[in-house]
Amino acid sequence: RGRQFIDGGILSTTNIDVAVERGARFIVVINPLVPYVNDFSKRIPTISGSRVQRVADMGAAGIGNQVFRIMSHDRLHRAVQIWEERYEDINAFERHLDRNGTKIVKLFLNVSKAEQKRRFLARLDTPHKEWKFNAADVAERGRWDEYMSAFEDALTATSTPWAPWYVVPADHKWLTQALVARLLVEAIQSLDLRWPEVSESEHKANA
């Protein structure tokens, strides 16, 4: 129906970018990577004209979100011995961003097991949301405790003074939005932003 589907273990955004540039409109990758629906009406200006937007255009925040999801999922299914190195790399990258003036606010929206079940069932009862339901997610719920352990390890290892994690209860959207808004306001206020000041000589020159 005019859509192309790509399924696979995407460990970087390169594969998705290639698919997008070749015309893929809807891309589904291995859970729990968020499905990426490309809007071809949005184009990015380039020296030679323009191009379709890429996953990388979401910026550090979007890429960081995907990386964290992949890491947590991968940790459960592959016995790898390089987790401490990965955590160190993340901390080093965020330290680099912080030193260069980027304020990092990391939010972990924590949904309870009971609320997750309610949302899964609601997808089946809502026609325009049923496409979000994946039977594999039900099987993954059986590993809830393992996921919580993986999340706890990742959050603890990558929560630093320059890029701390904030765990926000997410069962009720109104509460989640209020808490997130407060955190963002506090982060902005901590920057102590001020309007540029014009010197006396500049003021006279502008008169």
Side-chain angles (χ1 to χ4, degrees):
R1 298 182 179 180
R3 288 182 172 179
Q4 300 177 28
F5 296 85
I6 300 173
D7 188 7
I10 307 294
L11 294 182
S12 71
T13 63
T14 304
N15 300 32
I16 300 180
D17 289 339
V18 171
V20 168
E21 291 181 351
R22 292 186 178 181
R25 292 183 177 276
F26 185 62
I27 300 173
V28 179
V29 296
I30 189 170
N31 182 68
L33 193 69
V34 177
Y36 177 74
V37 181
N38 192 52
D39 183 357
F40 279 77
S41 65
K42 297 179 180 179
R43 301 188 66 83
I44 306 299
T46 64
I47 296 177
S48 59
S50 65
R51 61 168 174 77
V52 295
Q53 66 176 358
R54 298 171 178 168
V55 178
D57 295 322
M58 293 187 295
I63 300 303
N65 177 54
Q66 302 290 47
V67 170
F68 183 77
R69 288 170 176 269
I70 292 172
M71 281 177 41
S72 299
H73 187 266
D74 187 50
R75 181 181 184 274
L76 295 175
H77 294 277
R78 290 199 297 166
V80 294
Q81 303 297 323
I82 59 174
W83 286 104
E84 291 185 2
E85 295 179 7
R86 292 187 180 186
Y87 294 147
E88 291 173 1
D89 290 342
I90 291 173
N91 292 339
F93 174 65
E94 292 176 343
R95 182 58 166 162
H96 171 75
L97 292 177
D98 177 71
R99 285 174 172 169
N100 284 274
T102 299
K103 180 68 175 179
I104 301 174
V105 182
K106 298 188 297 191
L107 306 172
F108 182 84
L109 305 185
N110 189 36
V111 177
S112 68
K113 190 174 184 179
E115 176 62 14
Q116 186 197 62
K117 179 181 179 180
R118 188 194 70 78
R119 294 183 184 182
F120 278 173
L121 295 177
R123 291 175 183 176
L124 293 176
D125 296 333
T126 309
H128 68 276
K129 289 187 177 181
E130 188 174 355
W131 66 271
K132 294 183 179 181
F133 183 82
N134 188 335
D137 290 337
V138 178
E140 291 298 321
R141 266 178 60 83
R143 311 186 73 170
W144 180 271
D145 291 340
E146 294 177 72
Y147 272 109
M148 294 302 102
S149 177
F151 288 148
E152 183 178 358
D153 289 347
L155 292 171
T156 301
T158 58
S159 187
T160 60
W162 55 86
W165 276 104
Y166 296 93
V167 179
V168 180
D171 281 6
H172 305 286
K173 291 185 178 180
W174 65 267
L175 176 61
T176 303
Q177 293 168 354
L179 292 173
V180 169
R182 178 178 177 179
L183 289 169
L184 293 180
V185 168
E186 291 177 350
I188 294 173
Q189 290 176 337
S190 71
L191 298 176
D192 193 26
L193 300 176
R194 301 173 184 272
W195 289 104
E197 295 184 1
V198 179
S199 66
E200 185 63 28
S201 61
E202 290 174 327
H203 178 69
K204 290 181 179 180
N206 294 333

